Amino acid sequence: MSAPITPDLVTIPRKQSPDSKPDLIGLRRDALKTAFANIGTPEKQLNMRVNQIWGWMYQKGATSFDDMTNLSKDFRASLAENFQITRPEIVTRQISTDGTRKYLLRIAGGHEVEAVYIPEKNRGTLCISSQIGCTLTCPFCHTGTQKLVRNLTAGEIVSQILIARDDLEEWDKPAGDKRLISNIVLMGMGEPLYNFDNVRDAMLIAMDNEGISLSRRRITLSTSGVVPEIIRTGAEIGCMLAISFHATTDDIRDKLVPINRKHKIAELLQACRDYPRLSNSERITFEYVMLKGINDSNADARRLVKLISGIPAKINLIPFNPWPGSPYARSDWERIEAFADIVNDAGYASPIRTPRGEDIMAACGQLKSATERQRKSAKKIAQETGT
Ligand code: SAH
Ligand code: SF4
């Protein structure tokens, strides 16, 4: 257990009046082309202009047209008159004792969304959200207890990366291992495959070689099992896939991951077998949350390896992260290790995920609600103390 600490909490004041001009962040190249054509950019300059502005936004992190010094003054003025480049507001940034950073961001409509940066040895992973809340109701997941508020736009999804790069001062660095944000996981709030088009557009921006330039192998999308969109993910994004598997019989999976009632284990695993480019170096990650007495027996471990047999895979064991009122407990450490041994002996890597950022409630399945709860308790304290 981590010791209680006072995290580094930075509160940034709310922006006064949001500008209503269209924002260029999150637009695909073809949409940018149309936008620039609409303000009178000559046809033969369009591709060049898109490339220039794309580079400024996604390679250099520019947020002002004034900084785009290779564009004429007149063109810059015309851009500024018609468009904007904004970031969501950072409401709070918390830094855990283990270096994990959690950003609470405010987006259009006053909604709030979280992103988490997890530094590791020689790499760093940014965990981003795709929806505010979730329509699915996996009973062990705190996000699942919240109603879906709305899908994030492609701009809001990509902006989580841009904000973390601003904060970590990571603009203009070459691609590869030396980057602080070397990997992206879509494992924050929401079911990414219920917001497919926006997630796809955002990830295509993240992968674009003239911008953020992250390899598709460094992006992992986690899904509870939306089978038709798994097929589209392979075809239209091509990133790495993680499946929230969590149970080895349809009976138990129907309860733990309710989308299983629609897409059963056999159908899900067939989509995994058909996922393109699978090999020893491109494996599917099966996430498996360890719930005491529910899904953590030796028989479960043996069924699991049998089910995924033949799929290039690694199994990520996630010790359950409890939240107040959660109906489950974390499996004992010995149980998790015994489970991992069976999986390992069958030839699968089975890393046990170390919970990160526990002191700032940044662990898997705890996002957003934690902040709501903190607020509520702050309100309660204020009421009690009359402040
Ligand atoms: N909706 C997607 C992605 C977000 S959840 C999905 O379900 O895959 C990211 C991962 O955290 C999933 O594997 C999810 O099952 C897991 N998770 C959710 N709540 C958790 C909790 N309380 N403890 C541990 N893992 C949890
Ligand atoms: Fe939604 Fe994923 Fe949580 Fe299930 S685990 S409720 S799909 S965010």
Side-chain angles (χ1 to χ4, degrees), residues 191-206:
E191 169 49 60
L193 295 189
Y194 275 164
N195 186 14
F196 184 84
D197 289 359
N198 291 336
V199 165
R200 175 201 54 208
D201 289 354
M203 291 307 104
L204 293 182
I205 291 173

Side-chain angles (χ1 to χ4, degrees), residues 261-276:
R261 295 177 204 153
K262 198 162 169 192
H263 302 291
K264 296 285 178 204
I265 289 179
E267 188 192 348
L268 174 60
L269 289 178
Q270 191 55 48
C272 292
R273 288 181 204 286
D274 295 341
Y275 199 73

Side-chain angles (χ1 to χ4, degrees), residues 41 47 115 139 155 293 309 355 386:
T41 312
N47 284 337
S309 139

Side-chain angles (χ1 to χ4, degrees), residues 133-155:
C134 188
T135 46
L136 297 166
T137 50
C138 309
F140 56 87
C141 170
H142 208 182
T143 310
T145 65
Q146 295 172 239
K147 284 208 175 103
L148 176 75
V149 179
R150 71 166 168 85
N151 279 336
L152 298 187
T153 64

